[in-house]
Amino acid sequence: PVNFIYGNLSHARDYTSDLLDLVQTYEQYTPQPHPQILAKIDEIDLDFLKEDLPKILSSMRVGTERIRQIVLSLRNFSRLDEAEMKPVDIHEGIDSTLLILQNRLKAKPDHPGICVIKNYGNLPLVECYAGQLNQVLMNLLANAIDAVESAMSQSTPDALKIHPPCIQITTTQSDREQIQIAIADNGIGMSDAVQARLFNPFFTTKPVGKGTGLGLSISYQAIVERHRGSLTCWSKLGKGTEFTITIPIHQTPNRQPSEREKAR
Ligand SMILES: Nc1ncnc2c1ncn2[C@@H]1O[C@H](COP(=O)(O)OP(=O)(O)O)[C@@H](O)[C@H]1O
Ligand SMILES: [Mg+2]
């Protein structure tokens, strides 16, 4: 449906430019228009209209282009069509997750934007459940954003200039069999007590309505049980946090699902 708008916009642009051309020609060959026409020109503020209409059309074009991209990345992100294990481009998953979160990353009236540094290594395609992996990336990135936002709310504008809020995403192929994705933030960090309970279902330090405490426990299951990888955390209160996902590049073929997985 976005394509109806997108596709027709270029025609709309051509037609309006033709019509404006026609008006121009009329003006040229009719130096003394009828008073009623003059009144009409005045009423609709023709000069302004001529200038504004093409601008409106082009911003509509930019808007639909953006909608197209978001729809594409949502489709890419959810991979609803792919319940199967498949070789996927991990960087594509990270990028579409970031695109979905872009609204939370950009500058707001009360704080600067959050910078995202990508250190993408040379990764092979990785066999995994793309939809699930993207969900994990979403959980970890959303937590990182929450953490830097909390740190920003406790900081001053000057301090923010020296230590801008940042999220760093590093991917590496650690050996022949596995890859790693590290997501680091310079947010509020965690105490040892919080770190000890991090992966427990329903454990949250966020206010009611904001946190469910399920993100990390679901992520842990997805990585450790479904992909037979690992999810580890390093954190220091007031410094920041780093989560590292390690997953095998190839999953063992014909693995029997565990009883727990079957039950799902
Ligand atoms: N990047 C992070 N920085 C600081 N604390 C974090 C980070 N990620 C997770 N946490 C802590 O772990 C808790 C559990 O996270 P999660 O399972 O995603 O639940 P939720 O985000 O809904 O609270 C959070 O409430 C927070 O205290
Ligand atoms: Mg969370």
Side-chain angles (χ1 to χ4, degrees):
V2 178
N3 282 329
F4 302 162
I5 306 176
Y6 189 79
N8 285 327
L9 264 177
S10 70
H11 297 302
R13 198 190 44 196
D14 291 348
Y15 294 156
T16 46
S17 127
D18 286 349
L19 282 173
L20 289 175
D21 249 13
L22 181 67
V23 171
Q24 182 100 30
T25 317
Y26 260 116
E27 278 177 337
Q28 235 168 25
Y29 292 98
T30 322
Q32 237 96 62
H34 191 276
Q36 216 158 340
I37 293 182
L38 281 176
K40 199 74 194 167
I41 287 176
D42 207 42
E43 189 190 314
I44 64 171
D45 197 349
L46 184 62
D47 284 339
F48 178 76
L49 188 153
K50 279 197 277 196
E51 212 184 287
D52 209 38
L53 188 55
K55 282 190 203 159
I56 291 177
L57 285 170
S58 92
S59 83
M60 284 166 74
R61 199 185 159 83
V62 173
T64 49
E65 178 62 45
R66 227 172 267 168
I67 295 172
R68 258 162 54 115
Q69 273 205 4
I70 290 172
V71 170
L72 205 75
S73 61
L74 280 174
R75 197 178 293 159
N76 212 328
F77 176 85
S78 61
R79 300 280 188 124
L80 289 176
D81 41 332
E82 297 168 27
E84 287 300 301
M85 181 84 75
K86 267 195 175 168
V88 303
D89 178 346
I90 299 285
H91 297 145
E92 212 174 82
I94 300 172
D95 288 340
S96 55
T97 308
L98 286 172
L99 201 64
I100 293 168
L101 289 167
Q102 68 180 339
N103 200 41
R104 294 199 61 197
L105 295 166
K106 66 186 186 199
K108 301 278 155 66
D110 54 336
H111 63 71
I114 300 165
C115 78
V116 174
I117 300 170
K118 298 182 199 172
N119 302 313
Y120 286 175
N122 222 339
L123 292 192
L125 295 181
V126 175
E127 262 175 38
C128 65
Y129 299 103
Q132 284 190 20
L133 185 71
N134 288 345
Q135 192 64 59
V136 172
L137 294 169
M138 175 66 103
N139 287 333
L140 296 181
L141 286 166
N143 281 346
I145 294 173
D146 287 342
V148 295
E149 274 180 353
S150 298
M152 281 194 279
S153 67
Q154 295 168 11
S155 187
T156 62
D158 284 342
L160 283 180
K161 264 180 217 137
I162 302 165
H163 293 289
C166 235
I167 295 174
Q168 193 154 325
I169 307 168
T170 309
T171 61
T172 40
Q173 178 170 358
S174 37
D175 60 43
R176 264 182 54 206
E177 266 119 47
Q178 31 189 20
I179 61 112
Q180 291 187 322
I181 310 165
I183 296 176
D185 66 72
N186 60 357
I188 47 170
M190 285 176 254
S191 66
D192 290 344
V194 169
Q195 283 182 60
R197 302 170 63 194
L198 203 58
F199 295 112
N200 294 355
F202 303 110
F203 173 74
T204 181
T205 57
K206 295 170 193 172
V208 182
K210 182 149 172 77
T212 59
L214 285 173
L216 285 179
S217 73
I218 291 172
S219 300
Y220 189 85
Q221 267 185 13
I223 296 300
V224 176
E225 290 175 20
R226 300 298 307 269
H227 291 93
R228 293 195 296 173
S230 68
L231 178 61
T232 58
C233 170
W234 175 94
S235 185
K236 198 164 163 66
L237 199 60
K239 276 254 172 256
T241 302
E242 178 167 46
F243 280 92
T244 305
I245 302 171
T246 305
I247 46 172
I249 294 167
H250 301 286
Q251 298 285 334
T252 314
N254 300 328
R255 180 173 72 97
Q256 293 303 312
S258 68
E259 287 309 312
R260 201 160 160 185
E261 281 175 11
K262 273 193 226 158
R264 250 178 247 143

